[in-house]
Amino acid sequence: MLFKSLLSTATLLTSLVSSVKADDLPPIEIVGNKFFYSNNGSQFYMKGVAYQQNPVNTTNAFVDPLADPEGCKRDIPYLEEIQTNVIRVYALNASQDHSECMALLNEAGIYVIADLSEPDLSINRDTPAWTVDLFERYTGVVDEFQNYTNILGFFAGNEVTNAPNNTDASAFVKAAVRDTKAYIKAQGYREIPVGYSANDDADIRVPLAAYFACGDDDERADFFGINMYEWCGKSSFTLSGYSNITAQYANLNIPLFFSEYGCNLVQPRLFQEVGTLYGDQMTDIWSGGIVYMYFEEVNNYGLVSLLSDGSISTLVDFNNLQTQLASVTPSIATAAAESSVSLSPTSCPALGINWQANSTLPPTPDADVCSCMVDSLNCIVSSNVNADDYADLFNYVCSVIDCSGISANGTTGQYGSFSPCSAEDQLNFVLNLYYLENGSNNAACSFSGSATIKSAATASSCVAVLSSAGVSGLGSVSVTLGGSTATGKSSSGSGSASGSQSSSSSTSSGKSSDAPKQAAISAVTKVLLVGVSIFFGMGMILA
């Protein structure tokens, strides 16, 4: 195993000992709509557990469970007792050391599927954006974990779209899938799958799955998870609704699994759905699932309780799950046989009442593009203006000029070249555009001291970028990822990405939230898409 960084001699020794104890787990690969062990081609079914604890009595937005070796040493034996072969982690801190936990998991035969976002850096379903800051967060997690062979894959979002009125947000998540995959390829990392985890909304679940499964290989999701809570207590394949969704997803051409399951409306949970999930009625379509969740919290989804002395006490749910998993023997396919199966391409869903995500995706975020733009400007926001006050400036300027160069609309598929930039960079752009449209008069760059004049500069490397974007920012810019060019806008056509977004009522619990605190961006998005116009009077503009 290649460890990204060794922080001390002790860490080095631990790593060496771990490498002696167990060989690296073989990467999991995808063939058709199934997962397989890459070393022998046998099918891999997820027997997973969601593994993350909400922070208590702390100001931390989340606690990274894979940066806690003592916690991993405590918990892994219990995970092994219930045959766990994969854990789902909702938020990771890329700046911390994960080598010891990852080695311990590797030794126990446990893979990790990780969400790339975290509570304060994630795609917000209400005002979606795919930004430079988000892309840097996603790639930071990829950089930290790509060298572990027991990283099964990454989620680019969780329940971002959860109802018909926010399906447009899926365009931004799919762009995150596309760009994360492109980054992995450009960096020369091993092929690590990137997918999406959805909620189960009957009105949108079919087009939602089709949307992420459609398109060229470089932009579609590699797998699709669904947080499934339809089977509660004693039920059956038919009564639970499992039969309906299995039929609806029968022709999807990427792997499917339950990214969460375990309804707790009837307690203790019996987990009778386990026998069906790993039975012949479902295994040709589904690749197992991940039980929600390991730690008991106020939502009563836990398998174990963490006691005040730091020890673990198993709950009735733990014992029931253990019994059910011990009784299943799913049929095993082979990669060789699956490679001969021809799967029809999934078509992208058409826009309609319940589906409003366009197949044309947002541009790839690139900090250099934003820097080139800002350097070329004459009028920018003053450094003494608080970010909380950006909204007022956005509201005024965008009520009198066209700010489409920074806007992003997942329904129309129209995105400004600078829509991925930070709120400050976007404000700089529209202030300068206002300045230009008012004859480059110094009085048009005042805003009662909120804006200031600077010298403009354009490096030779920026000429092509700025020319492609155009003065109004409505052009299409190509960006470079590790030497590989990616298009600034992507169209998938008819053949054609935690923590997590705040979850649906059936799953609200220990997941972190995909609701970033981007007040300024949210404000300008509402201005551009809803058409709010706020005028402050010429006294402010020309003062």
Side-chain angles (χ1 to χ4, degrees):
M1 182 180 292
L2 298 175
F3 296 110
K4 188 174 181 180
S5 61
L6 301 174
L7 302 181
S8 64
T9 301
T11 304
L12 174 59
L13 291 174
T14 298
S15 302
L16 291 174
V17 170
S18 297
S19 66
V20 171
K21 286 182 179 179
D23 293 332
D24 290 344
L25 289 173
I28 300 300
E29 65 180 9
I30 293 172
V31 180
N33 68 343
K34 296 176 175 62
F35 294 105
F36 296 90
Y37 290 98
S38 60
N39 62 335
N40 60 20
S42 63
Q43 189 174 358
F44 177 86
Y45 288 101
M46 292 187 186
K47 295 181 179 178
V49 176
Y51 182 68
Q52 190 136 12
Q53 194 173 19
N54 278 336
V56 179
N57 299 323
T58 176
T59 58
N60 294 333
F62 67 92
V63 176
D64 184 339
L66 302 188
D68 178 12
E70 294 307 311
C72 291
K73 292 174 185 176
R74 177 197 64 215
D75 297 328
I76 287 174
Y78 292 97
L79 293 169
E80 289 181 290
E81 282 190 45
I82 50 177
Q83 301 186 22
T84 303
N85 63 9
V86 62
I87 59 173
R88 177 180 180 181
V89 181
Y90 293 88
L92 294 163
N93 187 336
S95 67
Q96 293 184 304
D97 177 41
H98 303 91
S99 58
E100 191 167 354
C101 274
M102 292 302 292
L104 291 166
L105 290 165
N106 177 82
E107 187 175 1
I110 297 174
Y111 291 85
V112 175
I113 184 166
D115 290 62
L116 292 170
S117 59
E118 55 103 333
D120 291 337
L121 278 174
S122 45
I123 297 171
N124 185 331
R125 64 168 70 101
D126 297 320
T127 52
W130 175 229
T131 67
V132 168
D133 286 346
L134 283 171
F135 192 28
E136 290 178 352
R137 157 70 194 179
Y138 279 38
T139 56
V141 175
V142 170
D143 289 340
E144 170 63 13
F145 285 92
Q146 53 80 26
N147 55 336
Y148 300 108
T149 60
N150 58 330
I151 285 290
L152 188 155
F154 298 111
F155 283 124
N158 180 76
E159 298 188 357
V160 180
T161 286
N162 69 349
N165 65 352
N166 53 42
T167 57
D168 62 307
S170 286
F172 299 85
V173 186
K174 192 169 181 180
V177 170
R178 175 201 65 198
D179 293 339
T180 302
K181 291 174 64 170
Y183 180 81
I184 290 170
K185 182 177 182 179
Q187 295 300 112
Y189 297 152
R190 70 175 177 88
E191 190 171 332
I192 306 173
V194 182
Y196 178 67
S197 173
N199 78 312
D200 178 32
D201 184 299
D203 290 331
I204 61 171
R205 65 187 183 190
V206 173
L208 182 61
Y211 185 77
F212 280 96
C214 74
D216 297 332
D217 287 343
D218 59 357
E219 71 173 30
R220 71 181 182 188
D222 294 313
F223 54 78
F224 188 80
I226 185 166
N227 298 338
M228 172 62 66
Y229 291 86
E230 290 191 1
W231 186 310
C232 302
K234 296 180 180 180
S235 191
S236 69
F237 180 60
T238 302
L239 291 175
S240 65
Y242 279 21
S243 59
N244 289 336
I245 195 168
T246 298
Q248 289 172 333
Y249 286 168
N251 296 318
L252 212 64
N253 61 347
I254 59 176
L256 288 161
F257 58 94
F258 289 176
S259 43
E260 291 175 5
Y261 75 95
C263 171
N264 70 351
L265 293 181
V266 178
Q267 297 184 9
R269 291 181 288 179
L270 302 176
F271 288 111
Q272 291 180 347
E273 66 266 45
V274 167
T276 300
L277 178 59
Y278 297 95
D280 291 343
Q281 291 173 302
M282 296 186 70
T283 51
D284 190 48
I285 306 299
W286 301 92
S287 294
I290 299 170
V291 170
Y292 193 81
M293 57 178 293
Y294 182 73
F295 293 105
E296 176 73 333
E297 296 180 342
V298 294
N299 53 27
N300 296 319
Y301 278 93
L303 300 175
V304 306
S305 289
L306 179 60
L307 304 180
S308 57
D309 63 0
S311 64
I312 290 292
S313 174
T314 59
L315 302 173
V316 176
D317 284 13
F318 180 96
N319 298 327
N320 289 344
L321 179 63
Q322 182 181 41
T323 299
Q324 293 291 342
L325 285 171
S327 67
V328 300
T329 54
S331 58
I332 303 297
T334 65
E338 191 67 21
S339 63
S340 64
V341 177
S342 178
L343 297 175
S344 300
T346 299
S347 298
C348 291
L351 295 176
I353 295 175
N354 287 335
W355 191 254
Q356 290 292 306
N358 201 291
S359 293
T360 300
L361 305 181
T364 301
D366 189 312
D368 290 339
V369 170
C370 300
S371 294
C372 285
M373 177 267 287
V374 173
D375 288 345
S376 72
L377 307 178
N378 287 115
C379 179
I380 62 171
V381 65
S382 296
S383 59
N384 60 358
V385 176
N386 191 293
D388 292 339
D389 297 324
Y390 287 177
D392 288 343
L393 290 166
F394 274 125
N395 284 341
Y396 176 76
V397 173
C398 294
S399 69
V400 293
I401 67 168
D402 183 0
C403 289
S404 298
I406 63 168
S407 70
N409 190 319
T411 298
T412 64
Q414 296 177 337
Y415 311 96
S417 297
F418 306 120
S419 58
C421 299
S422 70
E424 181 179 2
D425 289 349
Q426 290 183 347
L427 182 56
N428 288 333
F429 177 75
V430 298
L431 288 174
N432 191 75
L433 198 58
Y434 178 90
Y435 169 76
L436 294 176
E437 292 194 9
N438 283 276
S440 300
N441 189 315
N442 285 355
C445 186
S446 174
F447 296 89
S448 297
S450 294
T452 186
I453 296 291
K454 75 170 185 65
S455 298
T458 301
S460 58
S461 58
C462 292
V463 172
V465 169
L466 296 176
S467 176
S468 297
V471 174
S472 62
L474 296 177
S476 180
V477 178
S478 295
V479 302
T480 301
L481 296 174
S484 177
T485 300
T487 58
K489 297 178 183 177
S490 173
S491 176
S492 52
S494 59
S496 5
S498 109
S500 316
Q501 181 73 284
S502 52
S503 58
S504 61
S505 59
S506 63
T507 63
S508 58
S509 46
K511 304 188 289 282
S512 48
S513 169
D514 273 356
K517 299 181 178 70
Q518 296 174 313
I521 294 177
S522 299
V524 71
T525 303
K526 290 175 181 177
V527 168
L528 297 176
L529 300 184
V530 181
V532 176
S533 297
I534 299 176
F535 291 86
F536 291 87
M538 293 305 292
M540 173 185 173
I541 306 302
L542 302 176

